[in-house]
Amino acid sequence: MYVKQVFSIWRLLRGIWPGLLVVTAYATLVFHLYNAKNWHFLSFPISIITILGTALSLLLGFRTNSAYDRWWEARKVWGAIVNDSRTLVRQSISFIETSKEEKDKIISNIAHLQIAWCYALANSLRKGQVLVYADLHLEQAEHEYVASQDNIPNAILNLLQFKFSELHEEGKIKTLLYQNLDQTLQRLCDAMGKCERIKNTVFPTQYSFFVVLVIFIFTLVLPMGLVESIGRIAIPITFTISFLFFYVEWIAYVMQNPFENGPNDIPMTSLSRTIEINLLQMINADKIPEKILPKNGVVM
């Protein structure tokens, strides 16, 4: 996620500069043909352009709001994952009743499984190597089990469920407290499902195409509506207005996919590291990793 408050010019133009160059060249051509070749039939009523621009603004507003809703929902889900991860370990510390040595070992295993789940979920959403970072927190038997599964994050949740069920059957967790732990696991599973839904549900392609088509038509007629009244000033005005529409559409395109490992994505790796630090401190681990700091204004 980009965390700097000031954008560079390159970040503003990246992704839209080819379209801006084409629009500027086209506006220059329209001015040349109108002024030098006397192609006055290129003049277009400004009132129609105003109506088209208003309609385009409404379309872009709806598209941007829809894209932001997807991004914000993803961020809220990961906020809930942070909270429920802490809750799971805190409940384990409070609810498990056994000898101190055995309890410390069990809780350490639970904490490491939860850390592995967070990293595995983040990597799976980004379509990367799922067990990167996660394998550091898994025992050999656990690693072999989850590596054989199609959905590795879900397999790690299964290991947690097996662990709590075993402790409950052995009488080390009371039934009512076991139900609370089960509810926490259920919330984690729900959060995983919400992330997968956002990842796998494509923003309606036909709507995105229609918005781009309207922007294309608008940029075609815009210099024709301006050239008669303001002359060569129509070129920079066309560039400026086109830049605004292109950039808003590009923002919506980027935000509609919050799990693509880009600079505007949800910082899942950083959030997973935060969870790792918190849980390791809760179990008094010897080695605590450092926080992930932004690089070039971007935190992943």
Side-chain angles (χ1 to χ4, degrees):
M1 184 172 66
Y2 195 73
V3 295
K4 278 188 176 181
Q5 295 183 353
V6 179
F7 283 93
S8 65
I9 296 298
W10 169 243
R11 286 192 180 274
L12 285 174
L13 296 178
R14 187 176 61 181
I16 64 173
W17 67 265
L20 289 176
L21 288 179
V22 172
V23 168
T24 304
Y26 171 74
T28 303
L29 176 62
V30 170
F31 171 75
H32 173 73
L33 294 176
Y34 182 87
N35 189 58
K37 301 296 184 179
N38 294 321
W39 286 19
H40 295 295
F41 63 87
L42 292 176
S43 180
F44 205 82
I46 191 65
S47 59
I48 297 180
I49 297 177
T50 302
I51 296 173
L52 184 60
T54 302
L56 178 57
S57 298
L58 294 174
L59 289 172
L60 281 175
F62 176 78
R63 173 157 164 69
T64 304
N65 287 337
S66 299
Y68 180 77
D69 284 343
R70 284 167 62 95
W71 186 91
W72 183 238
E73 181 184 4
R75 182 60 186 88
K76 288 193 296 183
V77 170
W78 268 89
I81 289 174
V82 173
N83 295 337
D84 286 332
S85 296
R86 296 165 179 162
T87 299
L88 184 70
V89 174
R90 185 177 294 108
Q91 288 176 330
S92 300
I93 294 172
S94 301
F95 296 168
I96 297 175
E97 298 177 354
T98 184
S99 64
K100 184 179 186 307
E101 182 179 354
E102 183 183 11
K103 181 176 180 178
D104 290 343
K105 184 178 179 180
I106 292 172
I107 293 174
S108 176
N109 179 236
I110 292 171
H112 282 284
L113 282 173
Q114 181 57 30
I115 294 168
W117 179 80
C118 294
Y119 280 120
L121 178 60
N123 293 331
S124 66
L125 291 172
R126 288 172 171 165
K127 302 297 183 182
Q129 297 182 2
V130 179
L131 288 175
V132 173
Y133 295 122
D135 56 358
L136 301 176
H137 298 275
L138 297 173
E139 299 175 358
Q140 182 176 356
E142 294 169 343
H143 187 282
E144 292 175 356
Y145 169 74
V146 301
S148 65
Q149 302 296 309
D150 182 62
N151 191 323
I152 292 178
N154 187 61
I156 297 175
L157 280 185
N158 284 341
L159 289 176
L160 284 167
Q161 184 70 66
F162 298 156
K163 175 70 66 175
F164 290 131
S165 297
E166 181 181 357
L167 292 170
H168 177 249
E169 292 175 359
E170 293 174 354
K172 297 175 181 177
I173 302 179
K174 295 179 180 179
T175 300
L176 181 60
L177 302 180
Y178 171 73
Q179 292 174 351
N180 291 334
L181 282 166
D182 186 68
Q183 290 174 359
T184 303
L185 285 179
Q186 182 178 349
R187 291 197 301 271
L188 289 169
C189 186
D190 290 342
M192 179 175 64
K194 291 176 182 178
C195 289
E196 292 172 343
R197 169 174 54 79
I198 295 172
K199 175 69 177 182
N200 298 325
T201 303
V202 180
F203 195 89
T205 306
Q206 61 274 23
Y207 185 81
S208 300
F209 173 78
F210 180 72
V211 172
V212 173
L213 178 63
V214 175
I215 293 176
F216 175 74
I217 295 174
F218 179 78
T219 54
L220 283 180
V221 300
L222 179 59
M224 298 180 184
L226 298 175
V227 67
E228 181 179 7
S229 57
I230 59 177
R232 68 177 71 249
I233 304 300
I235 299 174
I237 294 298
T238 299
F239 172 86
T240 303
I241 296 176
S242 299
F243 167 77
L244 296 175
F245 282 126
F246 283 157
Y247 190 62
V248 171
E249 199 281 331
W250 181 73
I251 290 174
Y253 174 77
V254 170
M255 295 186 69
Q256 73 187 22
N257 299 307
F259 300 134
E260 296 300 319
N261 202 23
N264 293 290
D265 288 355
I266 303 301
M268 295 183 291
T269 303
S270 177
L271 290 171
S272 298
R273 176 61 61 84
T274 299
I275 293 171
E276 180 181 13
I277 293 172
N278 292 163
L279 299 193
L280 291 180
Q281 288 177 340
M282 291 174 69
I283 63 175
N284 298 317
D286 295 329
K287 295 182 179 180
I288 308 295
E290 298 292 333
K291 293 182 178 181
I292 297 179
L293 300 177
K295 294 182 178 180
N296 299 322
V298 177
V299 58
M300 301 305 293

